[in-house]
Amino acid sequence: MNIILLGPPGAGKGTQARRLVEERDMVQLSTGDMLREAKDSGTDMGKRVADVMARGELVTDEIVIGLIREKLEGAKGGGFIFDGFPRTLAQADALGELLSEEGQSLDAVIEMRVDDDTLVSRITARSTCGNCGEVYNDQTKPIPADGRCTSCGGTEFKRRADDNEDSLRTRLMAYYKQTSPLIGYYHAKGQLRAVDGLGEIDDVAAEIAAILD
Ligand code: ADP
Ligand code: ZN
């Protein structure tokens, strides 16, 4: 089963994708994570995209489609969670073609709905474990007092360069302008399902599970 998690920054796509990986043995394909890895390891592409990402703008379709193509070519079985991809109509078309070339299909597109105020407060309070990627929130899920990650015991935590108010405004605008048209696109294809992204992590996970089963 291949699915897309669609929603604005801070909607909880990454959190839910991680759960699906643990509970259903699916494979998470996050273009955001792939681009951050390229940046951190200092590849040419990583250097080219760093500023664009820090500003909160989208990197080119060509780059992200290339990243996804590499992961899909020759991949066995189903079970991909597309997280943060596609983000434009051109990317959505490319994904459809790539999947059909691999003899695979898209089973559901899950739109995670969250209001803008919640997005802003989630993202400006967000940090992640530098080792395992567990997500923390200064208000709702603070880093434990002993400074150790609850999931792996790691002691280093990071904040993303684009988790600041200016970049976030740009990211939200990019979402509404360039990505939200995908809601209509997948609705028209009969593949769109929506979940309330404001609930507790477990409740959102249960809604997603109900759609997948
Ligand atoms: P967010 O938490 O804002 O949803 P991601 O971690 O998915 O962010 O992506 C971070 C940044 O990486 C984006 O703001 C954008 O610059 C770039 N990026 C990630 N995926 C894509 C994509 N599919 N198309 C274009 N740019 C992307
Ligand atoms: Zn950790």
Side-chain angles (χ1 to χ4, degrees):
M1 164 162 299
N2 299 308
I3 65 168
I4 294 174
L5 295 180
L6 184 64
K13 303 182 295 288
T15 301
Q16 295 299 329
R18 286 166 59 86
R19 290 223 12 179
L20 292 167
V21 169
E22 277 173 27
E23 292 169 9
R24 298 183 180 244
D25 219 21
M26 295 176 81
V27 176
Q28 177 184 12
L29 294 182
S30 160
T31 42
D33 287 349
M34 294 175 207
L35 292 166
R36 276 185 290 278
E37 267 162 36
K39 189 190 79 178
D40 293 346
S41 55
T43 65
D44 281 347
M45 185 271 278
K47 286 180 197 146
R48 270 184 287 137
V49 299
D51 288 342
V52 176
M53 288 177 74
R55 282 198 301 273
E57 293 163 11
L58 295 188
V59 312
T60 63
D61 288 336
E62 195 191 351
I63 289 178
V64 290
I65 292 167
L67 289 170
I68 291 287
R69 178 181 290 120
E70 275 175 32
K71 302 280 176 180
L72 291 188
E73 267 170 2
K76 291 258 159 42
F80 290 112
I81 307 156
F82 296 96
D83 159 13
F85 179 92
R87 253 179 166 90
T88 63
L89 290 166
Q91 291 175 23
D93 282 333
L95 177 61
E97 282 166 27
L98 286 171
L99 285 172
S100 74
E101 279 166 24
E102 296 297 322
Q104 302 213 30
S105 60
L106 185 63
D107 299 286
V109 178
I110 299 175
E111 182 203 353
M112 301 184 62
R113 293 197 178 150
V114 178
D115 65 87
D116 287 356
D117 287 346
T118 305
L119 299 174
V120 173
S121 74
R122 280 184 183 177
I123 284 186
T124 51
R126 170 162 81 175
S127 58
T128 55
C129 171
N131 181 48
C132 76
E134 184 75 11
V135 181
Y136 292 90
N137 180 292
D138 299 339
Q139 272 99 48
T140 58
K141 187 185 167 188
I143 294 164
D146 68 358
R148 294 192 164 275
C149 172
T150 48
S151 135
C152 76
T155 54
E156 288 202 18
F157 299 90
K158 310 188 283 196
R159 280 190 200 267
R160 275 169 47 172
D162 59 350
D163 277 355
N164 62 74
E165 280 208 57
D166 270 355
S167 306
L168 181 54
R169 218 167 296 131
T170 309
R171 283 154 67 195
L172 279 175
M173 186 58 87
Y175 177 76
Y176 289 116
K177 249 172 106 167
Q178 295 168 275
T179 307
S180 68
L182 299 187
I183 294 170
Y185 175 94
Y186 287 117
H187 169 74
K189 286 173 170 278
Q191 291 174 311
L192 190 75
R193 309 294 300 269
V195 299
D196 177 6
L198 286 174
E200 299 285 324
I201 291 174
D202 285 345
D203 297 337
V204 180
E207 271 197 73
I208 293 175
I211 292 171
L212 301 188
D213 290 330

